[in-house]
């Protein structure tokens, strides 16, 4: 992850992560590497569940700090409706690509039939432009356009209030002249009823 500090306390944290696939066969699979690591820490857990739990706990901390979040993930499950998608929703994040393009998105893995890659963002960043690139290598890359002012805040220029002349309603001559001028305007534009 990387955290960018903007104006007026606005901070954007970008995160890129890979959620393991349950692959017990290859000793060098990410799932097996994580399993070995956690066993060495005397923690008996499923690496996929541990990944999701730990990421959600970090998200809570980051949101409490006031950060805006953009989390790009290879989720390795259907991002439209799955355990991970529900965990992100409960943490307060929104699936940006799914929100913008609907539930009929293309597969994002070459041998897959569903989208497994997604950007999860905090509310306020969920209306950004985003989309899919063509399939490259074994995944379809995702893109998003983060406007500078949303990511880093901006300083509004001071409001300059014009000094207007005040109507002096205490002088009957001025009021009479104004009413006559207004009546004439209404008659001229056929607005008098």
């Amino acid at each position: 992850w990387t955290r960018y500090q903007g104006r007026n306390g606005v901070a954007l944290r970008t995160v890129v992560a890979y959620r393991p696939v349950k692959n017990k066969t290859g000793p060098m699979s990410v799932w097996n590497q994580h399993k070995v690591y956690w066993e060495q820490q005397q923690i008996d857990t499923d690496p996929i569940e541990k990944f999701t739990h730990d990421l959600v706990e970090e998200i809570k901390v980051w949101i409490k700090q006031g950060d805006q979040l953009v989390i790009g993930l290879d989720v390795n499950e259907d991002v439209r409706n799955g355990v991970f998608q529900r965990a992100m929703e409960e943490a307060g994040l929104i699936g940006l690509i799914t929100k913008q393009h609907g539930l009929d998105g293309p597969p994002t893995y070459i041998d897959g039939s569903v989208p497994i890659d997604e950007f999860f963002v905090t509310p306020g960043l969920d209306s950004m432009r985003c989309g899919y690139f063509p399939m490259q290598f074994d995944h379809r890359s995702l893109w998003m356009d983060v406007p500078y002012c949303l990511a880093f805040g901006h300083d509004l220029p001071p409001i300059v209030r014009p000094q207007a002349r005040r109507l002096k309603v205490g002088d009957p001559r001025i009021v009479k002249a104004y009413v006559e001028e207004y009546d004439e305007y209404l008659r001229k534009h056929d607005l008098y009823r």
Side-chain angles (χ1 to χ4, degrees):
W1 60 262
T2 305
R3 186 173 191 262
Y4 304 94
Q5 182 68 48
R7 294 187 172 117
N8 300 321
V10 174
L12 174 70
R13 187 179 304 258
T14 60
V15 181
V16 179
Y18 174 81
R19 185 169 172 254
V21 166
K22 192 161 200 161
N23 178 357
K24 297 180 180 182
T25 58
M28 295 307 291
S29 73
V30 174
W31 190 90
N32 274 326
Q33 291 178 48
H34 286 208
K35 185 72 174 161
V36 168
Y37 173 81
W38 291 120
E39 285 173 352
Q40 290 172 348
Q41 308 300 315
Q42 274 71 46
I43 298 173
D44 183 25
T45 186
D46 179 308
I48 298 170
E49 292 173 13
K50 182 74 170 142
F51 173 89
T52 303
H53 175 268
D54 290 353
L55 181 59
V56 167
E57 292 304 308
E58 285 297 318
I59 288 169
K60 290 176 184 176
V61 170
W62 296 332
I63 289 175
K64 191 173 183 177
Q65 291 173 351
D67 290 1
Q68 299 183 95
L69 301 176
V70 174
I71 304 178
L73 289 143
D74 178 349
V75 177
N76 283 314
E77 76 174 24
D78 192 339
V79 296
R80 301 167 300 181
N81 186 19
V83 172
F84 190 80
Q85 182 273 335
R86 286 189 293 280
M88 293 296 98
E89 194 174 272
E90 289 173 12
L93 300 185
I94 298 160
L96 179 65
I97 299 286
T98 303
K99 181 180 180 203
Q100 295 291 326
H101 296 281
L103 300 177
D104 296 328
T108 55
Y109 180 64
I110 197 164
D111 292 330
S113 59
V114 298
I116 64 170
D117 302 294
E118 178 66 281
F119 289 122
F120 290 96
V121 299
T122 46
L125 297 179
D126 62 334
S127 61
M128 294 183 293
R129 292 175 12 143
C130 60
Y132 302 94
F133 281 117
M135 194 68 72
Q136 299 170 357
F137 305 108
D138 63 348
H139 276 266
R140 182 182 307 275
S141 296
L142 309 178
W143 65 269
M144 65 187 298
D145 183 17
V146 182
Y148 188 84
C149 65
L150 275 181
F152 303 111
H154 61 283
D155 291 324
L156 292 172
I159 296 173
V160 178
R161 301 193 186 282
Q163 295 297 319
R165 290 184 353 197
R166 298 284 178 203
L167 179 62
K168 297 179 182 178
V169 292
D171 186 341
R173 295 172 299 164
I174 293 173
V175 172
K176 183 179 177 202
Y178 174 77
V179 169
E180 288 171 356
E181 185 179 321
Y182 186 65
D183 277 348
E184 179 63 30
Y185 174 83
L186 292 175
R187 279 191 198 94
K188 184 178 177 181
H189 291 45
D190 197 27
L191 299 171
Y192 205 90
R193 298 193 196 269

